[in-house]
Every structure is written in C-alpha cells, then in structure tokens.
C-alpha cells in the first residue's frame, strides 16, 4: 500500500523504532526490498536515484514504485532520492 511518510516517521520517532530505506533500480530489486519489509512487518521507504540506475528514467521508476508499492502488504513510501537532470516544458 502506498502511503505518505508523515505518520509513519512520526510514529517511529515517538515509539523509538526504525524502518528500512532502500534504493531500487529495477523490478527485481524493488520486489526483494518489499519482500524483506513484509517479512519484518515494517513500513519501507523505497527510493530511486538517477545516478544508480541511468538506464531507466524517472517516469519508469515512478511506475515501478507505484505498481509494486500498491500491491505490498506493508506501507510503502516512495522517495525521489537524487535527480541529475531537469526537464523544462
């Protein structure tokens, strides 16, 4: 399930626990990261950084995050970690 980070980060701070943050670069990595979070029964932050996966663009990375995040059994927070390019319209 896709969620906002606000309530989960606040709860973690108040209850003194942490949850994982992973960078993903393809569908294999995102599936493995969600599986680990589901096994631990913890929310997870999934981040994409352009410099780690230059072969896919931001739109494709967002599509992967939305697709797999919506199907997860734990809360998933998507995060744009780093971006080198900017597109102007």
């Amino acid at each position: 399930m896709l969620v906002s980070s606000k309530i989960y980060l606040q709860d973690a701070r108040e209850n003194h626990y942490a949850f994982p943050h992973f960078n993903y670069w393809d569908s294999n990595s995102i599936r493995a990261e969600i599986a680990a979070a589901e096994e631990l029964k913890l929310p997870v932050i999934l981040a994409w950084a352009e410099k780690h996966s230059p072969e896919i663009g931001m739109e494709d990375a967002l599509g992967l995050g939305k697709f797999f995040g919506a199907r997860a059994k734990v809360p998933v927070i998507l995060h744009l970690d780093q971006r080198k390019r900017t597109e102007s319209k």
Side-chain angles (χ1 to χ4, degrees):
M1 75 188 84
L2 292 170
V3 298
S4 168
S5 63
K6 185 176 182 178
I7 61 171
Y8 291 96
L9 292 174
Q10 183 177 351
D11 186 66
R13 184 180 305 117
E14 290 172 1
N15 293 294
H16 309 286
Y17 69 93
F19 55 89
H21 165 280
F22 298 107
N23 283 313
Y24 67 94
W25 54 91
D26 62 15
S27 62
N28 291 327
S29 63
I30 201 169
R31 283 189 295 223
E33 293 152 1
I34 289 173
E38 289 176 341
E39 185 175 325
L40 296 170
K41 296 179 176 48
L42 286 173
V44 64
I45 299 172
L46 296 178
W48 177 78
E50 186 175 46
K51 73 178 190 173
H52 299 301
S53 56
E55 64 280 351
I56 66 170
M58 185 172 69
E59 294 300 321
D60 291 335
L62 179 58
L64 282 173
K66 284 182 171 181
F67 180 81
F68 289 105
R71 288 156 180 75
K73 296 176 183 130
V74 295
V76 173
I77 300 157
L78 296 180
H79 173 68
L80 175 58
D81 195 27
Q82 298 172 28
R83 176 83 196 215
K84 294 188 285 187
R85 293 188 300 252
T86 58
E87 284 95 23
S88 58
K89 294 185 180 192

